[in-house]
Amino acid sequence: MKSICQAAVLLALGLVASLQLVRAQEVDGYVGFGTARAGSNGQQIDTFSDGTLHATGSLDGAFTDWGANVLFGKQFGVGWTGSWKFSSGPYAGLGYHANFQVFDGIYQPGPIRTKRFVPELRAGLGLASVRFDFNDPVSCSQVPGCPDDRFFLAHMAVAARFYISNHVFLRPAVDVHFVHDFYPFGSNWVPRYSMSVGYSFGRE
């Protein structure tokens, strides 16, 4: 039931964004790289049932980022961002991958906006997921959450688009996720830092 409710929320947000697309004054797309951070939960697990304890890992490493904004006028819009850890990280003798996907409302403060600099304040909801790599079901069964689990999250971010031409921009961003019951790691608070390059369609 929890997973169904989470999926329903994301679907509803996506449908609202899609229905408004025809009235958009600007659409942005971007791709980049970054990282996310959360410490280990400090557990030791006998993953392979051989008496050897293996430490749970921390959330870190390189993430790839993708995103799109749909803007209605100069100050308001909606957006989606996805961030994937593309290399496996160590976790209690196994490997893991993680990703975050969020739908946001966007506010662009007018007083500090210029033709070349556009700030973004974002807030929204989404999902985090953790997927484990394993060779046999026995070892997977020893690690909580294996083979994969999903977590509901709230999201806030500060970003800016620095236009190097009328349409091409660089986008540094600082994102903060509050992930509900993020038990594989040591904190529900997960900051993420990224730098992307993007293109704006329909910009005057």
Side-chain angles (χ1 to χ4, degrees):
M1 177 62 73
K2 177 181 175 182
S3 297
I4 293 174
C5 291
Q6 292 171 351
V9 169
L10 292 181
L11 179 61
L13 292 172
L15 287 174
V16 169
S18 299
L19 291 173
Q20 294 296 326
L21 184 60
V22 294
R23 294 187 297 193
Q25 294 189 3
E26 180 182 322
V27 177
D28 305 324
Y30 53 90
V31 60
F33 294 94
T35 190
R37 300 287 182 180
S40 169
N41 61 20
Q43 293 182 350
Q44 302 278 330
I45 300 174
D46 185 4
T47 306
F48 305 105
S49 302
D50 58 3
T52 301
L53 297 178
H54 298 270
T56 56
S58 58
L59 179 65
D60 53 23
F63 282 68
T64 182
D65 292 78
W66 301 79
N69 300 329
V70 180
L71 304 171
F72 316 110
K74 298 294 187 181
Q75 290 190 287
F76 298 99
V78 294
W80 167 84
T81 303
S83 182
W84 286 268
K85 180 176 171 59
F86 54 87
S87 60
S88 180
Y91 194 97
L94 307 180
Y96 80 92
H97 294 266
N99 71 71
F100 302 89
Q101 297 192 56
V102 296
F103 288 98
D104 289 320
I106 302 171
Y107 173 65
Q108 300 179 147
I112 57 176
R113 174 189 171 116
T114 69
K115 184 175 178 61
R116 296 295 185 185
F117 172 74
V118 182
E120 299 177 17
L121 301 178
R122 305 171 69 107
L125 302 172
L127 291 175
S129 68
V130 179
R131 178 176 56 83
F132 292 93
D133 306 321
F134 60 94
N135 294 322
D136 66 273
V138 174
S139 61
C140 179
S141 67
Q142 304 300 312
V143 178
C146 189
D148 60 73
D149 206 351
R150 293 175 176 83
F151 308 87
F152 187 73
L153 66 83
H155 173 251
M156 296 178 293
V158 177
R161 301 194 302 279
F162 293 92
Y163 283 87
I164 57 179
S165 74
N166 194 44
H167 298 282
V168 178
F169 59 84
L170 298 176
R171 183 183 181 274
V174 178
D175 298 71
V176 179
H177 307 277
F178 180 79
V179 186
H180 177 68
D181 191 24
F182 204 34
Y183 63 83
F185 302 100
S187 174
N188 293 332
W189 291 97
V190 183
R192 189 166 57 81
Y193 313 95
S194 62
M195 173 65 76
S196 302
V197 60
Y199 191 91
S200 293
F201 299 88
R203 187 169 189 258
E204 297 178 358

